[in-house]
């Protein structure tokens, strides 16, 4: 059957003329009824239902309009509703609109094609008729489809990667879609819709939802490389799969220690003391252009040999000598030094070193001599003046 779309008003007028002056009308009479809908011709899948909003009007007088559907195909059903209630008639006042809905359910064995039925409202001496055309089509099978702007993202081992993903329901029925992901064990995958974490989404027919898929590292030290991430969307019999890729670029990770692991030592005031340090790279990429410096107490001097390390490859270490000279008048006691390594790209690292300063033994002997002299002077004074 050919598909012909004719505006509802024109069809009603044609039916009125063909009736030879009967009381079937499109609300043109002063006391008549009118019944209209926004979409009098629609497509529907086999076995599906359709709901139409109807509006009843009376031009001159209040009346009760009885409602029915004519020419309903075999196996189909139809009813008029006001909210959840099924209604058989409606009260219509002049100058006011009465809204209701018509729900039509097609039969599962209906063949594809064009079907025309009529909605009739019969009032006090007048009848309004509204033709409805439904084009019944084979229902599309359930189908889901993923789309992504950038399927491959690059980041450091500690970076969170965010993919912009769109999921669309391309099938013929509404779906509740479950979202899942497969990723390496050092990654956690989170789906977010409108900023909220989700594990499922309702999708109507032809509806699309935009999501952000966050890939978070669970721990530091992820090796450099390319890692596959697979997204799954499942709703009913429909499934969509999307392949993503996380490209991890190498990153250096430096640390400073000593050959024996002790971060304390003894220093002599005014004397230069060498301290052996190990600068290690435990990251997944080489570190370049590493500058060494220190934070020391006022009056102290610290120099490094070498002061600049050109390269430390991954899992390698370089020995450095820090030459430390306490201040000339440094008092005996404990002092804190900070040794620092800064690569040309990447984060710096530092370590605290406790230095115990000892003063010269010569000054100790001088101090003892002064104390002995003072004691002697006091003794002589006591002896001399005590006799008097």
């Amino acid at each position: 059957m050919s598909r012909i779309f004719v505006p509802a008003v024109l069809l009603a007028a044609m039916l009125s003329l063909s009736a030879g002056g009967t009381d079937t009308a499109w609300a043109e009479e002063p006391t008549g009824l009118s019944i209209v809908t926004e979409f009098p011709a629609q497509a529907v899948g086999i076995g599906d239902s359709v709901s139409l909003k109807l509006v009843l009007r009376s031009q001159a007088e209040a009346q009760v309009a009885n409602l029915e559907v004519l020419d309903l195909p075999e196996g189909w059903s139809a009813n008029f509703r006001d909210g959840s209630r099924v209604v058989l008639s409606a009260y219509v006042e002049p100058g006011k609109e009465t809204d209701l809905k018509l729900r039509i359910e097609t039969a599962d064995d209906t063949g594809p094609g064009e079907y025309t039925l009529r909605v009739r409202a019969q009032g006090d001496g007048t009848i309004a008729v509204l033709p409805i055309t439904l084009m019944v089509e084979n229902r599309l099978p359930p189908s889901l489809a993923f789309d992504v702007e950038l399927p491959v993202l690059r980041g450091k081992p500690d970076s969170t990667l965010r993919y912009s993903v769109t999921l669309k329901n391309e099938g013929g029925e509404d779906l509740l879609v479950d979202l899942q992901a497969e990723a390496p064990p050092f990654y956690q995958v989170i789906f977010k819709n409108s900023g909220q974490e989700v594990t499922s989404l309702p999708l109507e027919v032809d509806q699309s939802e935009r999501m952000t898929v966050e890939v978070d590292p669970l721990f530091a030290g992820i090796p450099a490389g390319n890692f596959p991430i697979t997204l799954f969307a499942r709703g009913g019999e429909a499934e969509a799969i999307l392949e993503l890729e996380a490209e991890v670029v190498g990153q250096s990770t430096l640390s400073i220690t000593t050959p024996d692991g002790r971060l304390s030592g003894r220093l002599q005031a005014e004397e230069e003391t060498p301290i052996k340090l190990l600068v290690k790279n435990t990251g997944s990429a080489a570190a370049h252009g590493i500058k060494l410096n220190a934070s020391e107490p006022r009056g102290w001097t610290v120099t490094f040999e070498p002061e600049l390390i050109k390269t430390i490859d991954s899992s390698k270490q370089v020995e450095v000598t820090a030459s430390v000279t306490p201040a000339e008048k440094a008092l005996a006691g404990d002092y804190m030094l900070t040794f620092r390594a800064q690569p040309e790209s990447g984060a710096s690292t530092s370590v605290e070193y406790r230095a115990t300063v000892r003063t010269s033994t010569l000054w100790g002997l001088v101090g003892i001599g002064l104390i002995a002299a003072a004691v002697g002077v006091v003794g002589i004074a006591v002896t001399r003046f005590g006799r008097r």
Side-chain angles (χ1 to χ4, degrees):
M1 182 181 297
S2 63
R3 182 173 180 177
I4 303 173
F5 292 99
V6 182
V9 174
L10 179 60
L11 285 174
M14 293 171 62
L15 289 171
S16 177
L17 292 174
S18 64
T22 67
D23 55 0
T24 300
W26 180 262
E28 295 296 333
E29 300 180 14
T31 60
L33 289 170
S34 68
I35 180 169
V36 296
T37 186
E38 289 183 308
F39 307 105
Q42 297 189 25
V44 63
I46 294 175
D48 287 347
S49 62
V50 62
S51 187
L52 297 92
K53 179 181 177 181
L54 305 179
V55 178
L56 288 172
R57 300 190 186 100
S58 178
Q59 274 63 41
E61 61 183 30
Q63 54 188 307
V64 174
N66 295 317
L67 305 168
E68 61 180 325
V69 178
L70 306 177
D71 303 326
L72 198 66
E74 185 177 355
W76 291 30
S77 64
N79 54 68
F80 299 92
R81 292 178 176 269
D82 176 28
S84 61
R85 297 177 299 178
V86 176
V87 298
L88 303 177
S89 61
Y91 182 72
V92 189
E93 296 184 69
K96 294 185 179 180
E97 295 182 347
T98 300
D99 297 333
L100 64 154
K101 287 187 177 181
L102 171 62
R103 182 177 178 84
I104 302 172
E105 302 213 10
T106 64
D108 291 337
D109 58 354
T110 301
E114 185 178 287
Y115 296 82
T116 300
L117 47 91
R118 293 179 295 153
V119 178
R120 184 171 73 175
Q122 182 173 357
D124 297 334
T126 59
I127 297 176
V129 176
L130 173 65
I132 300 293
T133 300
L134 294 181
M135 178 62 69
V136 178
E137 302 173 345
N138 290 321
R139 182 188 298 174
L140 294 174
S143 178
L144 291 168
F146 269 125
D147 188 29
V148 60
E149 293 182 1
L150 297 172
V152 180
L153 293 181
R154 175 184 295 178
K156 296 179 180 179
D158 58 352
S159 299
T160 296
L161 304 179
R162 293 178 174 86
Y163 300 83
S164 182
V165 175
T166 300
L167 180 62
K168 183 178 181 181
N169 182 0
E170 297 183 340
E173 60 183 80
D174 298 344
L175 297 172
L176 179 61
V177 183
D178 292 326
L179 303 171
Q180 297 178 347
E182 288 183 359
F186 42 77
Y187 276 134
Q188 179 184 18
V189 180
I190 300 173
F191 295 87
K192 287 189 175 181
N193 177 247
S194 300
Q196 300 295 320
E197 185 174 341
V198 296
T199 57
S200 62
L201 282 175
L203 282 179
E204 298 179 356
V205 174
D206 290 331
Q207 182 184 1
S208 297
E209 282 290 345
R210 192 181 185 90
M211 298 179 292
T212 298
V213 179
E214 293 187 353
V215 178
D216 295 326
L218 295 176
F219 52 83
I222 295 176
N226 291 20
F227 302 98
I229 298 164
T230 306
L231 306 184
F232 299 92
R234 297 184 178 97
E237 298 179 358
E239 181 182 59
I241 299 175
L242 179 63
E243 299 292 343
L244 304 175
E245 188 172 291
E247 183 179 343
V248 178
V249 296
Q251 184 179 22
S252 62
T253 303
L254 299 179
S255 64
I256 302 175
T257 187
T258 60
D260 59 4
R262 294 178 58 186
L263 294 174
S264 62
R266 295 178 179 272
L267 282 72
Q268 188 68 41
E270 298 185 62
E271 292 185 9
E272 182 179 274
T273 301
I275 300 175
K276 296 296 184 180
L277 300 174
L278 294 179
V279 182
K280 298 181 178 180
N281 180 8
T282 58
S284 56
H288 302 282
I290 304 141
K291 296 180 180 179
L292 299 166
N293 57 73
S295 297
E296 66 276 0
R298 178 178 296 181
W300 292 40
T301 60
V302 179
T303 60
F304 294 91
E305 178 56 41
E307 292 184 358
L308 176 67
I309 303 173
K310 291 184 178 180
T311 302
I312 303 179
D313 292 329
S314 175
S315 302
K316 300 296 183 179
Q317 64 184 28
V318 172
E319 184 175 273
V320 175
T321 300
S323 298
V324 181
T325 304
E328 180 180 353
K329 296 181 181 181
L331 300 176
D334 290 340
Y335 297 82
M336 296 304 297
L337 297 168
T338 301
F339 299 125
R340 190 176 296 105
Q342 173 67 63
E344 62 184 19
S345 62
S348 65
T349 187
S350 62
V351 67
E352 300 288 338
Y353 187 91
R354 187 180 67 187
T356 301
V357 174
R358 297 179 300 179
T359 56
S360 173
T361 55
L362 175 60
W363 285 108
L365 293 176
V366 171
I368 294 173
L370 291 174
I371 294 172
V375 171
V377 171
V378 172
I380 293 171
V382 170
T383 302
R384 178 179 297 180
F385 293 105
R387 292 180 180 178
R388 295 183 183 181

